[in-house]
């Protein structure tokens, strides 16, 4: 996975995720949400652990309308607030980075069964402007589904 979040040397890196996890949840009446986590350090399904110094953590939320789980298609990161859309974010160590809108994630496989997986390609890019440096998040991933919470779940 290629990450570019700023012009400083530690803000551009490539890594092979040590942990690739996903969680799907339905928030009745609001949205469905697929959360994908790609970490450059060991991370289990038990919960969030902040990245160690210098290690990357990529988080991606794919939001879809209520009752409409995500499917194999592209989800854009735009300034729109209504789903469907994708929202990427990056942490490197203790520092968090918000990526400006631009680009998308393409899901090739969406298996929301308890032992399922999510596969896709990240292709987020903001070319930069007079006030903001260029940013990018690119690469292929396969994430193991850890949790599924549907409207029917207890």
């Amino acid at each position: 996975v290629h990450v570019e979040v700023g012009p400083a040397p530690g803000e551009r890196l490539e890594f092979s995720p040590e942990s690739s996890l996903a969680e799907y949840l339905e928030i009745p009446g609001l949205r469905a949400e697929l959360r994908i986590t790609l970490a450059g350090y060991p991370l289990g399904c038990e919960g969030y652990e902040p990245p160690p110094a210098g290690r990357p953590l990529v988080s991606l939320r794919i939001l879809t309308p209520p009752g409409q789980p995500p499917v194999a298609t592209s989800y854009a990161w735009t300034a729109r607030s209504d789903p469907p859309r994708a929202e990427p974010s990056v942490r490197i160590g203790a520092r968090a980075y918000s990526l400006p809108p631009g680009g998308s994630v393409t899901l090739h496989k969406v298996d929301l069964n308890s032992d399922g997986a999510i596969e896709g390609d990240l292709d987020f890019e903001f070319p930069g402007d007079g006030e903001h440096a260029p940013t990018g998040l690119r690469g292929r991933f396969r994430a193991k589904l850890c949790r599924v919470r549907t409207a029917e779940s207890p």
Side-chain angles (χ1 to χ4, degrees):
V1 173
H2 173 80
V3 176
E4 182 178 349
V5 290
E11 296 176 328
R12 293 178 180 196
L13 55 95
E14 287 197 31
F15 75 101
S16 293
E18 289 183 49
S19 306
S20 300
L21 311 170
E23 176 181 14
Y24 174 69
L25 48 105
E26 293 176 355
I27 304 166
L30 290 177
R31 68 180 177 267
E33 187 170 318
L34 178 62
R35 297 175 182 172
I36 298 168
T37 302
L38 308 174
Y41 56 98
L43 188 62
C45 289
E46 298 77 41
Y48 174 77
E49 290 184 36
R55 295 293 188 86
L57 175 71
V58 171
S59 298
L60 176 62
R61 291 182 349 149
I62 297 173
L63 308 172
T64 56
Q68 297 180 27
V71 296
T73 191
S74 290
Y75 295 91
W77 173 215
T78 67
R80 291 185 5 220
S81 62
D82 56 322
R85 72 178 188 279
E87 296 178 351
S89 63
V90 174
R91 292 186 72 86
I92 299 175
R95 187 150 183 211
Y97 299 88
S98 295
L99 299 175
S104 64
V105 59
T106 300
L107 299 181
H108 301 295
K109 177 183 176 186
V110 178
D111 181 352
L112 297 177
N113 292 310
S114 60
D115 61 346
I118 311 298
E119 295 179 13
D121 289 305
L122 304 169
D123 191 17
F124 296 101
E125 188 167 4
F126 173 73
D129 57 25
E131 297 177 29
H132 303 93
T135 60
L137 179 58
R138 292 178 294 285
R140 181 160 285 195
F141 68 89
R142 182 181 194 284
K144 171 184 130 183
L145 197 62
C146 287
R147 273 185 288 281
V148 176
R149 295 186 197 139
T150 63
E152 293 84 35
S153 297

